[in-house]
Amino acid sequence: MAQWTSAVGAAQLARLLNSQQDRPAGPGTRRPPAYRALADGVRLLVLEGRVPVAARLPAERELALSLSVSRTTVAAAYEALRAEGFLESRRGAGSWTAVPAGNPLPARGLEPLPPEALGSVIDLGTAALPAPEPWLTRAVQGALEELPPYAHTHGDYPAGLPILRSMIAERYTARGIPTMPEQIMVTTGAMGAIDAICHLFGGRGERIAVESPSYANILQLMREAGARLVPVAMAEGLGGWDVDRWRQVLRDAAPRIAYVVADFHNPTGALADDDQRRRLVDAARSAGTVLVADETMSELWLDEDVTMPRPVCGFDPAGSTVITVGSASKAFWAGMRIGWVRAAPDVIRSLVAARAYADLGTPVLEQLAVNWLFSTEGWAHAVDLRRAQARENREALVTAVRRELPDWEFEVPKGGLTLWVRTGGLSGSRLAEAGERVGVRVPSGPRFGVDGAFEGYVRLPFTVGGAVAEEAAARLAAAARLVESGASGGSESPRSFVA
């Protein structure tokens, strides 16, 4: 019986390897042998989670043709990977990826650092801040006071608690978007909302248009659902959305869904203006595409001169094109797993009906806590604290990175929680690997792209400040020196396999 559970084609593996661009070698820099470069490239893809464990690799001859190298080079690379524990083989079954005994399985997305590791590793992997106390405690206390009547029921509310649905609808209405409770479904975080939408509209094999780059965990969720991702490039810096390009992609690819983060985009921090939003909605409507607008960052403006545009759904008065996803996780606390969907009533009914085969509903106590926040001044005070903390962290991180890594390039966004950083020609994947060795965890650019894009980037969140931000930047600089010296993975830096 075969030991592999998936397969990676020769052309796909060649594209992933070709994306691993490093800084050009300087005078006197010794290049590793071709087989060693290939082995290191495959090992890095496995450690990054971009090639899954137990994935069957292409035959030696096929990969050699795709990379324009000799079969002997591929055979030697496979043998090196077997010796290091990253490849297993059996006659008649082929070769498949593995990890050596004692190594953790690579994450496919951006999983939080285990609490026990927080003392020794600075975690820049997760764009989330600690809870804004005392408002979390007060919200839970308020929820407990409201809980007794619900405790006498079955506790399953597939569409969400009626009181919270009404409150969320009122909040949209107050923003100038008339909304009924029947247009709201409460979910277990924004991820739960988008998962439900993908299963309703984006079945296996369906095309989904996504920003490039986009939020790594959502991209992985869509891949796991069997979607065919269609990337649409973002403009450089904070330029955001090239709507003419979006219109062309939506017309030519005819995706069932398009996913956008128009409010302080993750990871770039760009903010779509009213004209971009209007034209995106028009393009989606013309193509018959459902536009999923993720507004989880919408309340995290950090600069006083920011004027927030209308919500994306405000440009869809008929309610037939835009589905909005919101969440308490970014603006309040990631541990508060409450999200919601705003859509036409018939879409909400379909999502609720499908939920019977998923999670049945969202925890009642957490819904009551969020409702307490929304119905008092608690939410406004908590978000003010969140903005102040993110603003201070942003200033500290920007100052430290500019001092320690002056070759790195980025634009400072006016809101959100992330910096999208070009790493001066270094491989983001190798920086992430070297960062683990020096005690800083940072996600590489390719996690936010499709098929190996953005190798020259990393994402840095505003989650640490003060002396911790300074130490994080110093460790990133140490990781960069390891990559430049070719010592990031225990051997010299691999070359790019450009055919």
Side-chain angles (χ1 to χ4, degrees):
M1 180 179 177
Q3 301 298 306
W4 48 273
T5 57
S6 61
V8 181
Q12 179 187 5
L13 184 56
R15 285 196 303 272
L16 291 170
L17 289 165
N18 286 340
S19 74
Q20 296 176 336
Q21 300 285 349
D22 280 338
R23 184 189 298 275
T29 301
R30 186 168 59 88
R31 287 290 189 182
Y35 84 90
R36 182 68 261 173
L38 174 54
D40 285 349
V42 173
R43 174 182 53 78
L44 188 59
L45 291 172
V46 173
L47 290 173
E48 273 274 291
R50 290 157 63 199
V51 169
V53 175
R56 187 178 186 273
L57 296 187
E60 296 170 1
R61 187 184 302 277
E62 294 174 5
L63 185 57
L65 288 172
S66 293
L67 293 174
S68 297
V69 299
S70 70
R71 183 178 177 180
T72 302
T73 295
V74 177
Y78 279 15
E79 182 58 37
L81 289 167
R82 278 190 287 269
E84 295 162 5
F86 286 95
L87 195 69
E88 296 181 8
S89 304
R90 194 176 67 206
R91 185 178 297 277
S95 299
W96 56 92
T97 56
V99 292
N103 279 39
L105 286 175
R108 299 299 301 279
L110 302 180
E111 297 180 357
L113 192 70
E116 62 270 16
L118 291 176
S120 59
V121 178
I122 298 175
D123 186 11
L124 297 181
T126 303
L129 291 162
E133 288 288 28
W135 299 106
L136 173 62
T137 298
R138 292 183 183 179
V140 173
Q141 290 170 341
L144 287 172
E145 293 176 2
E146 299 294 329
L147 182 62
Y150 296 94
H152 294 291
T153 74
H154 50 63
D156 288 335
Y157 295 87
L161 295 182
I163 189 173
L164 181 56
R165 296 176 72 194
S166 295
M167 181 59 67
I168 294 171
E170 289 176 15
R171 287 171 60 83
Y172 277 107
T173 300
R175 294 167 66 189
I177 314 298
T179 303
M180 303 179 296
E182 291 79 9
Q183 291 177 262
I184 302 296
M185 181 177 83
V186 180
T187 63
T188 307
M191 291 287 288
I194 294 171
D195 183 56
I197 294 167
C198 286
H199 280 87
L200 180 63
F201 289 99
R204 186 165 293 278
E206 289 280 2
R207 295 184 180 92
I208 300 180
V210 295
E211 297 145 330
S212 182
S214 187
Y215 179 37
N217 285 342
I218 293 297
L219 295 181
Q220 191 57 36
L221 182 156
M222 292 172 175
R223 291 187 189 102
E224 298 289 347
R228 298 164 60 190
L229 301 184
V230 181
V232 186
M234 297 281 285
E236 285 293 320
L238 299 177
W241 295 259
D242 182 338
V243 182
D244 290 335
R245 184 177 295 170
W246 269 95
R247 187 178 297 278
Q248 179 181 351
V249 169
L250 295 181
R251 182 184 66 241
D252 295 346
R256 187 69 182 92
I257 303 173
Y259 170 76
V260 298
V261 186
D263 299 290
F264 305 118
H265 175 261
N266 187 351
T268 68
L271 176 65
D273 59 28
D274 282 325
D275 183 61
Q276 288 173 319
R277 294 167 189 240
R278 180 184 297 106
R279 294 174 63 204
L280 277 171
V281 174
D282 288 345
R285 184 184 296 115
S286 297
T289 297
V290 175
L291 185 64
V292 180
D294 184 338
E295 59 175 25
T296 57
M297 296 279 192
S298 63
E299 297 193 58
L300 289 177
W301 48 266
L302 304 182
D303 292 349
E304 295 296 333
D305 61 348
V306 174
T307 300
M308 290 301 296
R310 282 174 60 80
V312 175
C313 59
F315 300 97
D316 180 36
S320 58
T321 299
V322 177
I323 296 178
T324 303
V325 172
S327 172
S329 296
K330 296 298 185 184
F332 186 74
W333 184 46
M336 188 67 77
R337 305 304 304 158
I338 298 295
W340 52 86
V341 177
R342 181 197 181 275
D346 61 320
V347 172
I348 295 296
R349 286 193 295 269
S350 297
L351 289 170
V352 171
R355 199 169 192 181
Y357 309 102
D359 62 358
L360 292 178
T362 301
V364 170
L365 187 64
E366 292 186 22
Q367 292 187 71
L368 290 172
V370 171
N371 187 71
W372 183 91
L373 288 166
F374 284 161
S375 60
T376 67
E377 294 182 350
W379 181 263
H381 287 306
V383 173
D384 281 346
L385 284 175
R386 172 66 73 242
R387 291 193 191 110
Q389 186 178 13
R391 191 180 299 119
E392 292 175 4
N393 288 354
R394 180 186 63 176
E395 182 179 355
L397 186 65
V398 165
T399 300
V401 172
R402 282 178 171 164
R403 181 181 65 248
E404 297 286 345
L405 294 150
D407 290 340
W408 289 18
E409 302 171 21
F410 54 86
E411 291 188 39
V412 181
K414 293 180 176 293
L417 291 172
T418 58
L419 282 180
W420 184 236
V421 181
R422 191 193 300 269
T423 55
L426 296 179
S427 161
S429 297
R430 286 171 173 76
L431 281 166
E433 186 183 13
E436 297 282 353
R437 299 174 59 192
V438 299
V440 60
R441 184 170 183 258
V442 59
S444 65
R447 289 189 178 277
F448 302 87
V450 177
D451 254 359
F454 306 110
E455 186 60 59
Y457 290 81
V458 294
R459 189 194 73 172
L460 304 180
F462 313 142
T463 53
V464 295
V468 179
E470 293 179 5
E471 179 62 22
R475 295 186 187 188
L476 285 171
R481 289 191 293 271
L482 283 176
V483 174
E484 288 177 318
S485 69
S488 61
S491 64
E492 294 187 72
S493 183
R495 69 176 187 180
S496 169
F497 282 89
V498 180

